[in-house]
Amino acid sequence: GNSVTQMEGPVTLSEEAFLTINCTYTATGYPSLFWYVQYPGEGLQLLLKATKADDKGSNKGFEATYRKETTSFHLEKGSVQVSDSAVYFCALSINTGTASKLTFGTGTRLQVTL
Amino acid sequence: DVKVTQSSRYLVKRTGEKVFLECVQDMDHENMFWYRQDPGLGLRLIYFSYDVKMKEKGDIPEGYSVSREKKERFSLILESASTNQTSMYLCASSPGPDYEQYFGPGTRLTVT
């Protein structure tokens, strides 16, 4: 079956530190990969995505590269801000023909302090 | 902007009650989804719908049913609520396969 494994949190960083959140996946077929972010009290928002091997998704200073050889999609940001404090979910998507079903990791909470 | 709304942010129900969670999207999306979110488990798909009156089971459909009578509305039904259904429920919609999903704010359901 399909699964996503991401690093346990919480991750606590000082403002302007470098961020890496690891994500690896197992999938049959050729999934698309996503990072979603959930700010306190809100639903999930798409942060970035990549649809094929070697694609790089980027948004708001965050980046992730689809690595088929290592089945990974690690999230990085060069300099985090307090406003980046949230829960980050890695997910893969498989097109079933009628819909694309998302499989999520367990989420990683990021806490950024001044 | 895509808007996905859910009928309640917080809900408290008693064991054995029938519970309806409503979700409405305003972008004419074909696909709609119901997830539950639990600490340490991430989001798990309960049911999804790819057209009016069409539905498919997700990964954890037991104890739930769904209804989609109109394209914009997707309801999750707990026929007889149990304490292990206490959770955050998230609705999402999508224009179709290979498009991103847009999420509502969630309903935190407590079953006592």
Side-chain angles (χ1 to χ4, degrees):
Chain A
N2 302 320
S3 66
V4 175
T5 302
Q6 60 182 108
M7 59 192 290
E8 293 276 336
V11 173
T12 303
L13 295 172
S14 299
E15 200 170 48
E16 299 184 3
F18 185 86
L19 169 71
T20 301
I21 300 178
N22 291 335
C23 171
T24 57
Y25 68 90
T26 302
T28 53
Y30 302 97
S32 295
L33 301 174
F34 300 82
W35 278 99
Y36 279 84
V37 59
Q38 186 177 36
Y39 297 104
E42 298 183 15
L44 275 69
Q45 304 173 24
L46 179 66
L47 182 59
L48 52 85
K49 67 179 181 181
T51 57
K52 62 184 187 298
D54 300 325
D55 270 2
K56 178 186 278 188
S58 61
N59 186 27
K60 299 181 181 179
F62 292 88
E63 293 184 339
T65 301
Y66 189 143
R67 301 283 188 203
K68 190 176 178 184
E69 64 278 9
T70 55
T71 61
S72 65
F73 193 55
H74 304 321
L75 182 68
E76 296 182 336
K77 187 175 185 182
S79 176
V80 293
Q81 305 300 311
V82 172
S83 57
D84 294 327
S85 298
V87 181
Y88 292 81
F89 291 92
C90 185
L92 66 84
S93 172
I94 296 289
N95 186 340
T96 66
T98 53
S100 287
K101 294 175 61 176
L102 283 171
T103 298
F104 286 88
T106 54
T108 301
R109 182 175 299 278
L110 171 65
Q111 181 85 31
V112 181
T113 59
L114 289 171
Chain B
D1 269 1
V2 176
K3 190 152 189 184
V4 180
T5 57
Q6 296 183 229
S7 50
S8 306
R9 293 300 300 269
Y10 301 94
L11 208 53
V12 180
K13 295 292 182 180
R14 294 194 178 275
T15 302
E17 279 193 80
K18 189 169 186 175
V19 181
F20 292 86
L21 303 182
E22 304 284 338
C23 175
V24 177
Q25 50 94 2
D26 66 356
M27 286 301 292
D28 200 37
H29 284 174
E30 300 292 327
N31 298 156
M32 296 187 75
F33 306 82
W34 275 106
Y35 297 88
R36 62 177 284 175
Q37 181 180 6
D38 299 290
L41 296 176
L43 277 77
R44 293 177 291 167
L45 181 64
I46 303 171
Y47 267 98
F48 69 98
S49 168
Y50 53 91
D51 202 349
V52 175
K53 297 189 188 294
M54 307 303 287
K55 61 189 179 186
E56 284 192 29
K57 293 180 180 179
D59 300 318
I60 51 163
E62 296 79 17
Y64 303 94
S65 62
V66 291
S67 172
R68 194 170 181 199
E69 297 296 319
K70 293 185 177 181
K71 192 174 187 180
E72 68 271 18
R73 188 179 297 270
F74 191 37
S75 302
L76 180 70
I77 303 156
L78 288 65
E79 294 288 343
S80 177
S82 64
T83 55
N84 63 12
Q85 293 178 310
T86 291
S87 186
M88 171 72 86
Y89 289 88
L90 292 168
C91 175
S93 72
S94 170
D98 295 328
Y99 288 88
E100 72 173 275
Q101 293 184 19
Y102 297 84
F103 284 81
T107 296
R108 185 167 293 281
L109 172 67
T110 302
V111 182
T112 61

